[in-house]
């Protein structure tokens, strides 16, 4: 309240109308059918009802010149008020509008936060155009539509223009014609990529191109061999090409299908969100009320809106009985608002009252449609993990192509034929590409997504699973995300003291003042519990009535209980409900005590109440309301207001018996009972309280090195109060204004460096240049943006992204959706979230709880770590698959590991163990380290490649080659004999190739031997991968410290082994996969190497732990 | 407005670490790095890997050395059924086409009368014979016969081949000038393998009924040529020691398909010195100076079959030789073409 007004110059520059006020009697109705049925009259254009402002500019109406507000237009009246500060103020400067004396408004006890003007919101759509400059036509279009004066012109003129009639509605023919012209009243769904395009992407993404190339080479080799060597009758080799080509192609197809299926599956989950029960609306057509599908509504339709319905389109309300609408989705306000003209309400449930209105815009042309359109036109940002995967794929593909080309050249130079060289190329590609890895990663992500879904984080795109882990900034909406989106009583002021209301028990129930206050609070209210909730705890009972009254009722029920009974005992004789002129609510009861006088109870805006009071109750004693008391009142009121709370005043009085008895004839027009002097009993303040778990969650985010920023459309004071409460602004940090207040200087004099926190108003933001924004975002650690428009939310997100931050945005409203879409990860609320926001988001918090984000962050970081392990594990045997080929080419020995065996490893035995790493627990405390630096902490680092390829991979290669040489030697081919034997070995023409012992081997026998060796090599890799899997569990600590709690991993080892056995020993595998049964002890050949791998890696980790920051860690810590 | 600007600038955002270009990666003069490493760093890492790989290779060699202690110099670790070579010997043929020019080719193809062409083929046979036929008295050898002189662990049977045969160097092995090429057929050596004779019962006695059954079985199930059956009976009948005569590996060569058989009737195929590899050569025990016994098969290509490619399959016959054409078990395939 002590905020300095903004410099006039600035305001006037903006062509704004400032009402220094906040006591807007919200309820001004534009067109209210008079109760006497005399037709529509423009209700008091309520604009100037906007009165005292307690802050600098949120009362301002930023209006672009293209629509200057028409004086007298009802539009302005829709400014709702923020009554929390209730100080009366004078207009800062003359407004062109007639100014009526400020009236305290307390409409049905409801808080009416100061809205940004409708005008401001209407301005939004040009921002849409801004974002896509290329679409100038669209922009023009949008602008044109913006010029709408549908809300301001006379109602009759509106009817004329829409060629409709309030009594008859449209005719069917008109409606049909209009429907044909403007289409269904539904948001155009975002453009769907055709299914085949999606599928094609999966077939061509990642390693697929390389694999296709390999398959093509196979088929070419097959064709060439068939064409030129058809004289060879049993063309053993060329069949292999055909076979291999088919296998490669099927691998690509199957993994493509798999990831397509995964994507389709997560898409389907989303589709379930989209399918809302078809809504109907009551429409007046041909003079009759009929139920029509919401989608069939057209402009000009006269619709009835009732309790519980959703507003079907942008409508201008023409009649209303206490209609209030929840516009929080558009504005971020917590509360339902009394409404006249409604913008965009396709999906907003509206709360109480009934009304009738005329449709002025449908479908995409509604305000919500525009924001949704803005959101859907934003490009999806690439997720960090997909960047990582792209990087990884390009690195591995690069390595594959490098090796492939290198050895192609070498083999040609060594005198191999082109065909042979091409075969080598295929082999090298197959060996180098981790065929199963992308599918494995998909599964890992899906597993995490599943796990997160159990913890109430639903992930729409699998890749978004990791994004939260990389997040460095969270821009959180306030209402419904940080707060409960439910008003509740937070403080009371009585006996001259502010009491905070928490759980039951911290208030002295016997305090006579409290009893008086509670009596008023209980009696003066219309809200009641919905029936049939006996079993439900008080806190969760559903209440019929507006938010503030509900809050009071809930509070009273919790603190004292039996409110309904109490009300029944003290029979209500008369009441004046809240309305726009009175701004208070009164009810008169036959109070059931010794005193026969009737009890009048009243609540309303504190100033209004105080004005009427002469006395004040203090510790049960009635005292004169002195100036001193007024000061105390002011102070308390200010304090509560500063906390962003909405304050209600309460008073009562005993009506004189001589005049008012229970037989008194109460009359609505007779308010003589208000002439009495009232007794002030106290203040009760309400706030939409933060969710309980939020402060902890914010703290967790902080420790995890994540900046939490609040971006809300709500009022700055409320925003700041909530920010303080949840820890977005930490206790020690002050804003510039607060410092100024503390030091008693003006804000300009404060050293800005002193302030660590900032509350930035949307209007300020509007003035910012991009550099200003950068500076602010960089300078303040704790920022709250209040009164922001959807477009500004977007700007803020982009501002952070420009600084290289990975931004998460949480929000539930339509107004959040552009920011949600633009964010690296948009998090929408599952319960309260609008469909548009869910559509734009990447993740949905099913329980609307901000704390679930922490889970998401943890899971995201964990999956990144685990994916790293998974990639490391899978890449390791790549080199063990490659080396045989190199030796085959360079030493001309029989091929130690066949291509099919490679595929068996990559797509068979490796898959489950790699996936099991996704179940690993975090190594270090994930939530205590800073978010990863996307430029440095890559998924695949050069250390990872060097270690897996250069060291462990080489050990596996040696293990495999050892098995190969042993089996060759035992069967007769000593290593010396093998060198250079390749050509005869692989030629079916040689049916009698001699070994080291003079035995002569047929081609068939040789191939069996070769396949046996290949199988042994395969088994050796499997055995080494046991050790490798165990060492993959941890990157730094000892395996023994980490423990073996991952049962999936243990199972994976068994599974891998079982699979290898099946591949080895199943009859028929010799022909199908060229796998031969092995002697049992051949399995042991790799064991020394597996032990070596385990010991070596333990040693490596020991050195890394002992010498942090050493050269060794630099080189070998991946 | 701000939004638009922000978007544009966010696109043009540059990473300080990137944008240096590949050229700078190869050699960065500022940092003195080559491929991302300074000279000192390169030396360190290279030394590390030299040590690492030396140790790894050492570990490998140690393992192999320990393993090699389990091997025997003279005989393979696994024999016969325990080894992958199994108990089913294959069949080899000579001469072979030039594998450098025609990999995997088994076509014996020459132009009649062109000396250089023919010489390529018969020269191989000549070399082979010189290698395989050792002079009498070569240490570790002995002369074996049907009468019971068989190979022992220390002494191998000498391969005997009569100079009076047709397939000799004198006749240029039939390649020059006539179109009657000889092809050497031999059985693969398998350590410890001996043929199981037809018609010899468990008591090592000749059993005509058994022989009858064995041969009919082979004729029926394995397409044993009738001529071979008759030949075996003839040999048995004229032999004094039927058991030793039967302890042998019989050979048959014929055109592979009906067409091939028409092009090369069976009567045009003759075997030298005998149509069998006598059993006394077995078992092969990696004796020093063991030489593969062989049979020369002479194909008298009819004039009408010149310029035709004839597929020929030669098969070895014994009770324990299984046959599979696709896998070339107990058989060998080659083609003949005389222009």
């Amino acid at each position: 309240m002590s905020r300095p007004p903004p410099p006039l110059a600035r305001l006037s520059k903006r062509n704004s109308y400032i009402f220094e006020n906040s006591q807007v009697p919200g309820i001004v109705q534009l067109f209210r059918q008079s109760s006497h049925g005399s037709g529509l009259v423009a209700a008091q254009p309520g604009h100037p009802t906007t009165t005292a402002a307690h802050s600098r500019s949120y009362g301002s109406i930023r209006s672009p010149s293209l629509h200057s507000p028409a004086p007298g237009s009802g539009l302005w009246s829709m400014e709702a008020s923020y009554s929390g500060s209730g100080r009366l103020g004078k207009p800062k400067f003359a407004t062109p509008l007639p100014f009526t004396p400020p009236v305290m408004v307390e409409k049905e006890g409801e808080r009416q936060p100061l809205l940004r003007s409708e005008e401001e919101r209407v301005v939004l759509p040009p921002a849409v155009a801004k974002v896509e400059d290329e679409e100038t036509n669209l922009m023009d279009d949008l602008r044109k539509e913006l010029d709408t004066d549908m809300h301001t012109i006379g109602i009759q003129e509106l009817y004329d223009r829409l060629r409709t009639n309030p009594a008859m509605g449209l005719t069917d023919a008109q409606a049909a014609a209009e429907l044909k012209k403007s289409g269904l009243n539904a948001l155009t769904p975002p453009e769907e990529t055709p299914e085949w395009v999606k599928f094609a992407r999966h077939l061509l993404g990642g390693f697929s191109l390389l694999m296709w190339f390999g398959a093509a080479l196979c088929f070419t080799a097959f064709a060439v061999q068939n064409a030129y060597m058809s004289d060879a009758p049993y063309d053993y080799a060329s069949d292999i090409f055909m076979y291999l080509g088919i296998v490669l192609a099927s691998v690509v197809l199957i993994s493509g299908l798999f990831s397509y299926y995964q994507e389709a599956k997560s898409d389907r989950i989303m589709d379930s969100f989209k399918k809302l029960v078809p809504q109907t609306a009551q429409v007046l057509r041909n003079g009759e009320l009929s139920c029509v599908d919401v989608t069939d509504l057209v402009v000009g339709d006269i619709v009835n809106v009732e309790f519980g319905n959703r507003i079907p389109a942008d409508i201008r309300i023409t009649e209303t009985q206490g209609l209030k609408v929840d516009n929080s989705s558009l504005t971020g306000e917590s509360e339902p608002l009394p409404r006249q003209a409604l913008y965009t309400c396709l999906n907003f449930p509206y709360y109480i009252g009934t009304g009738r209105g005329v449709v002025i815009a449908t479908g995409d042309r509604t305000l919500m449609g525009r924001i949704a359109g803005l959101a859907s036109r934003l490009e999806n940002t690439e997720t960090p993990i997909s960047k990582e995967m792209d990087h990884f794929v390009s690195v591995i593909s690069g390595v594959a192509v490098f090796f492939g080309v290198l050895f192609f050249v070498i083999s040609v130079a060594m005198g191999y034929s082109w065909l042979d060289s091409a075969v080598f190329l295929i082999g090298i590609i197959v060996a180098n590409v981790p065929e199963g890895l992308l599918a494995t990663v998909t599964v890992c992500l899906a597993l995490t997504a599943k796990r997160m879904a159990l913890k109430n984080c639903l992930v729409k795109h699998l890749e978004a699973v990791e994004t939260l882990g990389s997040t460095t900034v969270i821009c959180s909406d306030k209402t419904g995300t940080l707060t409960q989106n439910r008003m509740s009583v937070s403080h009371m002021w009585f006996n001259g003291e502010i009491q905070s209301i928490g759980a039951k028990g911290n208030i002295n129930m016997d305090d006579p003042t409290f009893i008086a206050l509670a009596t008023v609070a209980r009696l003066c209210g219309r809200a009641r519990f919905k029936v049939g909730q006996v079993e439900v705890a008080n806190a969760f009972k559903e209440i019929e009535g507006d938010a503030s009254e509900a809050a009071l009722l809930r509070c009273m029920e919790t603190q004292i209980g039996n409110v309904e009974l109490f009300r029944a005992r003290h029979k209500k004789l008369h009441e004046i409900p809240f309305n726009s002129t009175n701004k208070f609510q009164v009810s008169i009861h036959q109070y059931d005590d010794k005193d026969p006088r009737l009890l009048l109870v009243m609540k309303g805006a504190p100033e209004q109440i105080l004005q009427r009071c002469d006395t004040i109750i203090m510790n049960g004693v009635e005292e004169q309301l002195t100036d001193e008391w007024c000061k105390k009142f002011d102070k308390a009121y200010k304090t509560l207001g500063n906390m962003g709370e909405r304050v209600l005043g309460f008073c009562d009085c005993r009506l004189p018996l001589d005049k008012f008895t229970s037989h008194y004839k109460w009359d609505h027009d007779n308010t003589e009972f208000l002439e009495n002097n009232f007794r002030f009993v106290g203040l009760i303040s309400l706030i939409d309280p933060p969710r309980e778990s939020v402060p902890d969650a914010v703290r967790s985010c902080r420790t995890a090195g994540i900046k939490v920023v609040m971006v809300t459309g709500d009022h700055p004071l409320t925003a700041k109060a909530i920010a303080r409460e949840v820890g977005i602004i930490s206790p020690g940090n002050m804003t510039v204004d607060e410092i100024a207040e503390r030091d008693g200087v003006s804000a300009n004099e404060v050293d800005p460096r002193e302030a660590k926190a900032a509350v930035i108003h949307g209007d300020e933001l509007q003035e910012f240049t991009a550099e200003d924004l950068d500076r602010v975002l960089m300078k303040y650690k704790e920022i709250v943006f209040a009164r922001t428009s959807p477009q500004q939310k977007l700007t803020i997100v982009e501002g952070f992204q420009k600084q290289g931050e990975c931004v998460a945005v949480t929000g539930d409203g339509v107004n959040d959706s552009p920011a949600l879409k633009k964010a690296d990860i948009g998090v929408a609320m599952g319960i309260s979230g609008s469909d548009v926001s869910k559509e734009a988001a990447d993740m949905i918090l099913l329980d609307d709880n901000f704390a679930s984000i922490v889970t998401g962050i943890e899971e995201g970081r964990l999956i990144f770590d685990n994916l790293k392990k998974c990639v490391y594990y899978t890449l390791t045997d790549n080199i063990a698959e490659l080396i045989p080929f190199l030796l085959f080419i360079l030493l001309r020995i029989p091929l130690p590991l066949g291509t099919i065996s490679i595929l068996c490893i990559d797509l068979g035995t490796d898959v489950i163990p790699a996936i099991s790493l996704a179940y690993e627990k975090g190594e270090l405390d994930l939530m205590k380290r800073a978010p990863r630096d996307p430029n440095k902490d890559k998924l695949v680092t050069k250390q990872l490649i060097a270690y897996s390829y250069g060291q462990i991979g080489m050990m596996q290669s040696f293990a495999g080659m050892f098995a190969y040489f042993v089996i060759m030697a035992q069967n007769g081919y000593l290593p010396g004999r093998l060198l250079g034997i390749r050509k005869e070995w692989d030629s079916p023409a040689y049916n009698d190739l001699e070994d080291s012992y003079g035995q002569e081997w047929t081609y068939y026998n040789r191939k069996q031997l070769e396949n046996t060796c290949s199988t042994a090599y395969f088994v050796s890799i499997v055995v080494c991968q046991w050790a490798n899997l165990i060492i993959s569990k941890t990157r730094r600590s000892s395996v023994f410290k980490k423990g073996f709690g991952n049962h999936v991993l243990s199972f994976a080892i068994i599974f891998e082994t079982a699979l290898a056995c099946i591949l080895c020993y199943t009859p028929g595998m010799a022909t199908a996969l060229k796998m031969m049964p092995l002697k049992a002890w051949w399995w042991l050949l790799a064991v020394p190497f597996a032990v070596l791998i385990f010991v070596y890696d333990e040693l490596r980790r020991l050195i890394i732990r002992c010498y942090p920051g050493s050269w060794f860690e630099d080189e070998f810590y991946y | 407005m701000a939004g638009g600007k922000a978007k544009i600038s966010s696109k043009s955002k540059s990473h300080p670490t990137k944008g240096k270009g590949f050229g700078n990666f190869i050699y960065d003069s500022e940092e003195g790095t080559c491929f991302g490493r300074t000279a000192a760093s390169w030396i360190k890492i290279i030394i590390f890997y030299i040590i690492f790989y030396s140790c790894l290779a050492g570990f490998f060699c140690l393992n192999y050395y320990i393993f090699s202690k389990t091997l025997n110099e003279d005989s393979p670790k696994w024999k016969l059924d325990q080894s992958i070579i199994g108990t089913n010997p294959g069949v080899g043929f000579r001469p072979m086409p030039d594998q450098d020019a025609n990999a995997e080719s088994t076509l014996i193809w020459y132009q009649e009368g062109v000396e250089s062409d023919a010489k390529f083929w018969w020269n191989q046979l000549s070399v082979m014979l010189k290698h395989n036929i050792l002079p009498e008295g070569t240490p570790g050898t002995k002369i074996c016969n049907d009468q019971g002189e068989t190979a022992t662990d220390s002494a191998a049977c000498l391969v005997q081949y009569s100079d009076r045969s047709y397939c000799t160097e004198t006749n240029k092995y039939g390649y020059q000038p006539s179109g009657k090429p000889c092809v050497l057929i031999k059985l693969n050596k398998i350590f410890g393998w001996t043929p199981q004779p037809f018609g010899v019962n468990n008591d090592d006695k000749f059993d005509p009924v058994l022989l009858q059954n064995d041969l009919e079985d082979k004729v029926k199930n394995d397409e044993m040529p009738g001529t071979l059956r008759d030949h075996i009976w003839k040999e048995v009948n004229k032999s004094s020691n039927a058991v030793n005569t039967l302890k042998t590996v019989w050979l048959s060569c014929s055109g592979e398909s009906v067409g091939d058989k028409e092009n090369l009737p069976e009567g045009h195929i003759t075997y030298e010195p005998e149509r069998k590899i006598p059993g006394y050569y077995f078992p092969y025990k990696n004796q020093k100076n063991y030489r593969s016994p062989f049979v020369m098969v002479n194909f008298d290509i009819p004039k009408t079959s010149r310029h035709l490619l004839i597929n020929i399959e030669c098969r070895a016959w014994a009770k324990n030789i299984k046959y599979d054409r696709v896998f070339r078990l107990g058989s060998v395939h080659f083609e003949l073409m005389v222009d």
Side-chain angles (χ1 to χ4, degrees), chain A residues 847-859:
Chain A
D847 58 355
D848 284 19
N849 192 345
F850 183 80
S852 305
I853 287 181
V854 178
T855 313
I857 291 167
E858 202 169 349
E859 289 289 349

Side-chain angles (χ1 to χ4, degrees), chain A residues 130 234 798 801-802 950-951 970-971 975 983 990-992 997-1000 1002 1004 1012 1079 1115, chain B residues 1 13 37 49 53 64 72 78 82-84 91 94 100 186 188-189 191 284 325 327-328 331:
Chain A
K130 259 177 266 156
Y234 305 115
E798 284 170 340
Q801 284 175 337
K802 205 167 97 186
Q951 297 176 35
Q970 289 191 334
N971 280 287
K983 190 174 195 172
Y990 286 91
N991 215 29
D992 51 353
Y997 297 94
Q999 302 187 94
E1000 287 169 320
T1002 62
Y1004 172 73
T1012 306
K1079 291 182 200 295
E1115 293 288 351
Chain B
M1 289 230 295
K13 161 174 120 184
R37 285 180 186 276
Y49 275 107
Y53 287 132
Y64 190 82
N72 190 323
W78 305 112
Q82 281 186 303
S83 166
I84 286 157
V91 178
R94 297 286 185 283
D100 288 327
K186 63 183 192 51
N188 283 1
K189 292 178 280 179
F191 196 96
Y284 167 68
R325 181 176 281 186
F327 294 124
R328 308 272 162 78
S331 70

Side-chain angles (χ1 to χ4, degrees), chain A residues 783-927:
Chain A
I783 314 176
V784 170
F785 292 97
R787 283 274 177 260
T788 47
S789 65
Q791 199 271 333
Q792 286 172 330
K793 289 190 179 194
L794 191 60
T795 311
I796 293 163
V797 171
E798 284 170 340
F800 276 121
Q801 284 175 337
K802 205 167 97 186
Q803 295 177 3
E805 309 276 10
C806 178
V807 186
V809 171
T810 65
D812 58 349
V814 173
N815 58 342
D816 299 317
S817 57
L820 287 172
K821 188 76 179 278
K822 181 69 200 172
D824 295 285
I825 178 164
V827 184
M829 299 298 136
I831 303 169
S832 63
S834 57
D835 292 331
V836 177
S837 68
K838 286 181 194 164
E839 176 60 47
D842 306 296
M843 183 183 274
I844 293 167
L845 300 184
L846 294 175
D847 58 355
D848 284 19
N849 192 345
F850 183 80
S852 305
I853 287 181
V854 178
T855 313
I857 291 167
E858 202 169 349
E859 289 289 349
R861 290 183 173 189
L862 183 58
I863 194 63
F864 187 83
D865 271 17
N866 285 347
L867 278 183
K868 201 167 192 165
K869 294 171 181 176
C870 175
V871 169
Y872 159 77
Y873 172 81
T874 315
L875 283 188
T876 305
D877 50 27
N878 259 17
I879 207 74
E881 293 161 3
L882 183 65
I883 292 290
F885 247 97
L886 305 190
L887 296 180
F888 169 65
I889 296 169
L890 298 176
L891 303 182
R892 297 175 189 261
I893 56 176
L895 185 62
L897 182 69
T899 320
I900 303 291
S901 306
I902 293 177
L903 291 175
C904 285
I905 296 167
D906 285 354
L907 298 169
T909 56
D910 254 8
V911 173
I912 300 291
I915 290 173
S916 78
L917 285 170
Y919 289 93
E920 271 302 309
K921 294 210 168 51
E923 207 169 320
L924 306 164
D925 195 341
L926 291 167
M927 293 304 281

Side-chain angles (χ1 to χ4, degrees), chain B residues 52-244:
Chain B
F52 177 83
Y53 287 132
S54 310
C55 293
L56 191 53
F59 185 76
F60 177 85
C61 293
L62 178 73
N63 273 292
Y64 190 82
Y65 175 76
I66 294 168
F67 158 73
S68 66
K69 291 286 149 201
T70 68
L71 293 178
N72 190 323
E73 252 181 66
D74 304 322
S75 63
K77 170 89 179 168
W78 305 112
K79 302 172 196 88
L80 297 171
D81 268 339
Q82 281 186 303
S83 166
I84 286 157
I85 198 165
T87 51
N88 206 32
V91 178
F93 76 96
R94 297 286 185 283
M96 302 239 340
D98 181 6
Q99 292 294 310
D100 288 327
N102 286 305
E104 303 181 9
S105 165
T106 48
L107 174 63
I108 300 170
W109 172 34
Y110 67 97
Q111 212 158 358
E112 199 180 352
V114 180
E115 190 176 341
S116 59
D117 218 8
K119 194 176 176 192
F120 169 80
W121 302 105
W122 64 257
N123 197 38
Q124 285 189 46
L125 289 179
S126 175
V127 171
M128 180 90 183
L129 255 59
K130 264 179 205 134
H131 175 258
N132 273 22
I133 302 170
L134 296 173
E136 251 175 77
T138 310
T141 61
K142 65 178 191 177
I143 296 171
C144 307
N145 57 36
D146 273 351
Q147 308 314 314
E149 281 297 326
T150 59
T152 64
D153 285 0
S154 56
C157 293
L158 276 179
V159 176
Q160 291 158 307
Y161 190 70
S162 157
D163 284 344
R164 287 166 298 162
S165 309
Y166 174 75
C167 294
T168 54
E169 189 154 355
T170 334
N171 295 325
K172 305 264 192 307
Y173 299 95
Y175 288 84
Q176 181 83 11
S178 65
K180 292 165 70 181
C182 295
V183 176
L184 179 148
I185 301 295
K186 63 183 192 51
L187 196 68
N188 283 1
K189 292 178 280 179
I190 292 181
F191 196 96
W193 184 83
T194 42
Q196 271 177 28
F198 296 118
V200 175
N201 63 19
N202 293 339
D203 301 332
D204 210 22
K205 293 271 165 16
F206 171 58
D207 182 346
V209 181
L210 188 63
L211 182 62
Q212 173 82 23
N213 289 345
D214 285 344
L215 292 182
E216 288 310 318
D217 179 58
K218 284 283 174 188
V219 171
K220 211 164 138 202
N221 298 327
D222 265 346
E223 300 168 358
M224 178 188 266
T227 50
L228 178 58
R229 180 191 55 197
D230 300 343
H231 176 76
I232 294 172
W233 275 116
K234 211 171 89 194
E235 289 284 309
V236 169
N237 290 338
K238 84 177 181 202
S239 159
S240 52
N241 187 340
V243 173
N244 279 352

